[in-house]
Amino acid sequence: MKSKILLPFLALVFLSLSAKSQGVSASFIIPKDGYFSAPVSPLSVRGLGLSFGLLGIETGASLYNMPGLPMTGLPFEADEPLTGPHWSILVPLQLSLTLDSDAMSVKFLGGGFGMGHIAPQINYGNMDRAIREYEGWDVANADLEAENKLGFGWMAGVELAFHVNDKFSITTEVQYLKGDSGAAVTGSYTGGSIGGNIETRTVDYSEAVTALEGVEISLGVKMNR
């Protein structure tokens, strides 16, 4: 319960702070073992926070349309994502080190992030396929539910800002991120081999998580103060 309160509280605090610069960007994620985040109205606001000379602390928020993410903590592995599609909100909180010049600036970022998934779904096509391979069956049909908890992780990367003038910059940013969110799976699945008996098995994968690991790429503009 505390984690559910902490994330929005931190976001509200830092979104209200005065920043040296604020940016809006189109951000995309290339997740490991997942599907590329769909470029359908991605919204991202970054660079909100405080600066202390070269050092700073930053936050923001990004909204993603996630076609599919992998799950870990299951008794079997899958070659395809087991959740999605769904919307995901990512809120970073990072320390920054900025090296600035008249023409451009380089910013090194590192810290953590919180994420929340909106109405996540199980990808039953990929899940049934993974269960068939795990059991050695010809057919399988799952009826499952997954918890939807807030997740956390770490991220780090670099941002390049090309100054068009004193008040406007074009930015590109690349970060690597890794985290997960609790997604305990319960329910059952039914299946078997052709010509054999049909079996139903109960599922209780309490250690299951939705994993997010990969590269985030952002292209945007920044208003310098």
Side-chain angles (χ1 to χ4, degrees):
M1 183 65 181
K2 291 182 179 180
S3 63
K4 293 182 179 180
I5 298 174
L6 180 62
L7 181 61
F9 173 75
L10 289 175
L12 287 174
V13 170
F14 284 97
L15 286 173
S16 66
L17 294 176
S18 173
K20 181 178 179 181
S21 59
Q22 297 180 8
V24 178
S25 63
S27 297
F28 308 90
I29 289 182
I30 306 173
K32 179 181 179 181
D33 299 327
Y35 297 141
F36 179 77
S37 63
V40 180
S41 299
L43 302 177
S44 181
V45 178
R46 296 290 176 87
L48 303 178
L50 292 174
S51 61
F52 311 93
L54 299 179
L55 301 178
I57 183 169
E58 296 188 2
T59 187
S62 298
L63 175 66
Y64 292 102
N65 183 353
M66 290 288 191
L69 290 175
M71 297 187 75
T72 60
L74 304 173
F76 52 84
E77 296 183 356
D79 296 330
E80 299 289 339
L82 298 181
T83 67
H86 54 75
W87 293 93
S88 298
I89 299 175
L90 188 147
V91 179
L93 182 59
Q94 298 177 283
L95 295 176
S96 65
L97 171 63
T98 304
L99 305 177
D100 206 355
S101 70
D102 292 338
M104 65 175 292
S105 64
V106 180
K107 180 185 295 183
F108 300 95
L109 297 155
F113 68 89
M115 63 178 172
H117 306 304
I118 302 173
Q121 303 178 39
I122 293 176
N123 186 319
Y124 278 107
N126 292 340
M127 180 67 78
D128 290 347
R129 188 179 302 110
I131 292 173
R132 289 200 305 268
E133 294 178 359
Y134 171 64
E135 294 285 0
W137 290 346
D138 295 318
V139 294
N141 184 27
D143 182 12
L144 307 172
E145 292 185 0
E147 290 184 354
N148 182 24
K149 294 184 177 181
L150 291 177
F152 301 91
W154 62 266
M155 61 191 303
V158 62
E159 176 195 89
L160 301 178
F162 302 93
H163 307 318
V164 178
N165 53 46
D166 292 342
K167 297 186 177 297
F168 176 76
S169 299
I170 298 174
T171 65
T172 179
E173 181 180 306
V174 178
Q175 297 207 60
Y176 193 86
L177 63 160
K178 183 177 182 179
D180 57 53
S181 55
V185 177
T186 56
S188 64
Y189 58 83
T190 301
S193 301
I194 296 176
N197 295 326
I198 299 299
E199 304 178 51
T200 298
R201 298 190 176 172
T202 301
V203 166
D204 184 9
Y205 304 147
S206 59
E207 301 299 319
V209 298
T210 299
L212 176 60
E213 179 180 0
V215 176
E216 180 191 55
I217 301 173
S218 300
L219 302 172
V221 296
K222 180 176 291 187
M223 304 304 295
N224 305 312
R225 294 185 176 182

